[in-house]
Amino acid sequence: MSKNRKISSLEFDYLVHMEPCIPLNDKNGYKTLKYSLLDSIEGVFGDKWFNLKDSTRQAIDYICFISLERGFVYASPDHIASRYDIGRSTVYEALKVLREEDILVKANRSSRKQNGLGCAVHFFTIHPYFAHINDYLNLGWKPKEKADWKADEAETPCGTRLSSDSETSTLCLPSLDLEESKNIDLQSNVSQPSSSSFIKYVPREINELYAGIFNFRLRNIWQKITQAWKTIKQSILVRADLITMGSNICKRIFQVWKEKRRDNQTMTVDEMCAFAYKSAIETFYNAMASFYMEDYDSDESKLMGEAIRSIPTYENICLKVNLDYNYEDVKEHVSSCLRWGFRMLSPESLDRIIDNYEWYTTIPDSRRLVLCS
């Protein structure tokens, strides 16, 4: 491809009037394509993706969104920067990084004011339409050869100095079957070989098991697990419980991710984080309910667990409907809902839940002080 490919007015008119690659009523198709574009971009930025400002990530998401139908974007960096209140240089730098990694290919429209280059047009190389666009515009684009690819020229063999040296290798390297490593079936009671990568702010035990699988995603997954851990005010669960339960949650995420890949589907980081937070809340509540209900029979314990898990829902409804309620009013309202909704529980069981209400509430201490003032 030439350094600056100029797109004529007729060519550009043809591109903008192409039929969308996905029917307009196929929302799932659009969502799948958007996630595939975003996943490729996240893979380019790596850990830096989560260090970017929210406005910068939203700008990149906007670039993906307007490229879904026909595989290219011709919005100017000035327009994108002003839309999301970021610097124009930030947009230029992001586009440059994506071009260097072969995610985007750049061409220019013909200028209306002079006989030169006009506004830039960026094409997504992983879009289904790109092969057709590449042939139509004669871009001549080919994937860049990586530095670790083998050269096409045959190697010149070098003889050994002594015949005895050829019988013994100087260095024995361990063999690694990549296909076999992709199909690792994680077991919570079997330690996996530690990965060379180490994700910051994640415990060593979790890193050893899952750093090589989730890579940069592990930091966000663990952040959601610890966020759920902090929302539950308790004193019976210790760090060892957090590690054990967090490891099981990561294992479940990996199993779901593996099933999706088997069905040619993707699982984004946001979906992994949502799954991790929801699973963590359920796991921690179940653990606490099991601890406090050891003295009850199985049916009573099951009902008490359902009552405890319904407390956050009752609190959210109460705070949305009654904005002037303080913490004690919320507690009284939720207690009334529990007594009405779980009438089959014994009064002793309900009293025990209400007496230990501060263990199950999702209202943080700072928020409680505000509600009480």
Side-chain angles (χ1 to χ4, degrees), residues 27-200:
K27 295 183 180 180
N28 291 330
Y30 275 97
K31 186 181 297 185
T32 301
L33 180 58
K34 180 182 177 181
Y35 285 151
S36 65
L37 297 179
L38 283 176
D39 285 344
S40 62
I41 293 175
E42 291 177 11
V44 169
F45 283 93
D47 292 337
K48 294 181 180 178
W49 172 258
F50 303 99
N51 296 330
L52 299 176
K53 293 183 178 180
D54 291 339
S55 55
T56 304
R57 291 202 295 266
Q58 291 172 4
I60 297 176
D61 185 274
Y62 174 69
I63 293 174
C64 294
F65 174 75
I66 59 180
S67 304
L68 291 177
E69 292 186 353
R70 298 172 181 86
F72 63 90
V73 54
Y74 56 91
S76 66
D78 293 335
H79 165 73
I80 299 174
S82 61
R83 182 184 179 93
Y84 292 96
D85 194 22
I86 58 177
R88 182 178 60 177
S89 60
T90 303
V91 181
Y92 276 111
E93 184 64 24
L95 294 174
K96 179 182 177 182
V97 171
L98 296 178
R99 288 197 303 268
E100 291 176 349
E101 296 296 329
D102 276 356
I103 301 297
L104 294 178
V105 173
K106 176 184 174 183
N108 291 83
R109 298 171 58 184
S110 300
S111 176
R112 298 180 180 179
K113 299 180 180 180
Q114 37 87 13
N115 188 21
L117 299 176
C119 298
V121 182
H122 287 88
F123 302 92
F124 273 92
T125 58
I126 59 176
H127 193 275
Y129 267 178
F130 180 73
H132 171 68
I133 294 174
N134 189 27
D135 294 337
Y136 175 74
L137 297 179
N138 195 20
L139 298 177
W141 177 86
K142 294 181 180 179
K144 294 180 182 179
E145 292 185 355
K146 304 299 181 181
D148 57 349
W149 286 9
K150 292 184 178 180
D152 294 335
E153 295 81 3
E155 296 181 357
T156 304
C158 298
T160 58
R161 181 175 299 179
L162 298 174
S163 60
S164 60
D165 295 341
S166 60
E167 298 176 358
T168 305
S169 59
T170 57
L171 179 63
C172 296
L173 297 177
S175 60
L176 176 62
D177 189 356
L178 295 180
E179 293 298 327
E180 181 180 355
S181 63
K182 292 180 181 178
N183 299 323
I184 295 177
D185 187 12
L186 294 177
Q187 301 293 336
S188 58
N189 59 344
V190 179
S191 60
Q192 300 293 331
S194 60
S195 173
S196 58
S197 60
F198 188 89
I199 309 302
K200 291 183 178 180

Side-chain angles (χ1 to χ4, degrees), residues 126-372:
I126 59 176
H127 193 275
Y129 267 178
F130 180 73
H132 171 68
I133 294 174
N134 189 27
D135 294 337
Y136 175 74
L137 297 179
N138 195 20
L139 298 177
W141 177 86
K142 294 181 180 179
K144 294 180 182 179
E145 292 185 355
K146 304 299 181 181
D148 57 349
W149 286 9
K150 292 184 178 180
D152 294 335
E153 295 81 3
E155 296 181 357
T156 304
C158 298
T160 58
R161 181 175 299 179
L162 298 174
S163 60
S164 60
D165 295 341
S166 60
E167 298 176 358
T168 305
S169 59
T170 57
L171 179 63
C172 296
L173 297 177
S175 60
L176 176 62
D177 189 356
L178 295 180
E179 293 298 327
E180 181 180 355
S181 63
K182 292 180 181 178
N183 299 323
I184 295 177
D185 187 12
L186 294 177
Q187 301 293 336
S188 58
N189 59 344
V190 179
S191 60
Q192 300 293 331
S194 60
S195 173
S196 58
S197 60
F198 188 89
I199 309 302
K200 291 183 178 180
Y201 311 113
V202 178
R204 176 182 56 82
E205 299 89 343
I206 304 298
N207 259 296
E208 291 178 352
L209 287 172
Y210 302 102
I213 295 174
F214 293 109
N215 202 355
F216 63 92
R217 305 174 184 87
L218 183 61
R219 178 178 176 180
N220 296 81
I221 294 173
W222 188 253
Q223 184 179 9
K224 287 298 179 181
I225 295 175
T226 54
Q227 182 179 347
W229 173 269
K230 293 176 181 178
T231 57
I232 301 176
K233 301 301 179 181
Q234 44 75 33
S235 58
I236 61 169
L237 300 179
V238 296
R239 183 181 182 276
D241 299 322
L242 173 63
I243 299 298
T244 302
M245 298 177 187
S247 177
N248 292 333
I249 293 170
C250 291
K251 176 183 176 181
R252 289 163 58 187
I253 295 175
F254 175 66
Q255 291 172 344
V256 174
W257 188 22
K258 188 164 61 173
E259 292 175 0
K260 284 181 174 290
R261 286 191 298 178
R262 189 181 298 116
D263 298 335
N264 295 325
Q265 298 178 3
T266 59
M267 190 174 186
T268 63
V269 178
D270 291 338
E271 292 174 338
M272 292 181 181
C273 291
F275 186 92
Y277 184 81
K278 182 178 179 181
S279 300
I281 288 290
E282 294 178 354
T283 303
F284 298 151
Y285 269 119
N286 289 335
M288 293 176 60
S290 300
F291 178 84
Y292 287 111
M293 296 182 297
E294 291 178 349
D295 299 333
Y296 298 89
D297 56 60
S298 59
D299 294 336
E300 189 83 356
S301 299
K302 184 177 181 181
L303 287 174
M304 290 182 70
E306 293 178 0
I308 292 172
R309 286 190 291 272
S310 65
I311 289 178
T313 304
Y314 288 141
E315 287 181 340
N316 291 332
I317 296 174
C318 179
L319 291 174
K320 288 181 180 178
V321 176
N322 305 289
L323 301 178
D324 57 340
Y325 268 24
N326 58 30
Y327 174 70
E328 294 299 331
D329 293 334
V330 174
K331 179 179 178 180
E332 183 179 356
H333 175 85
V334 174
S335 300
S336 301
C337 293
L338 292 176
R339 294 186 186 278
W340 180 85
F342 295 90
R343 296 185 297 273
M344 64 290 295
L345 279 174
S346 63
E348 180 187 1
S349 300
L350 286 170
D351 291 340
R352 183 170 182 177
I353 294 175
I354 296 171
D355 291 341
N356 299 322
Y357 184 80
E358 65 274 7
W359 292 336
Y360 310 124
T361 180
T362 58
I363 301 176
D365 294 337
S366 58
R367 176 63 173 163
R368 295 184 208 173
L369 294 176
V370 173
L371 291 176
C372 291

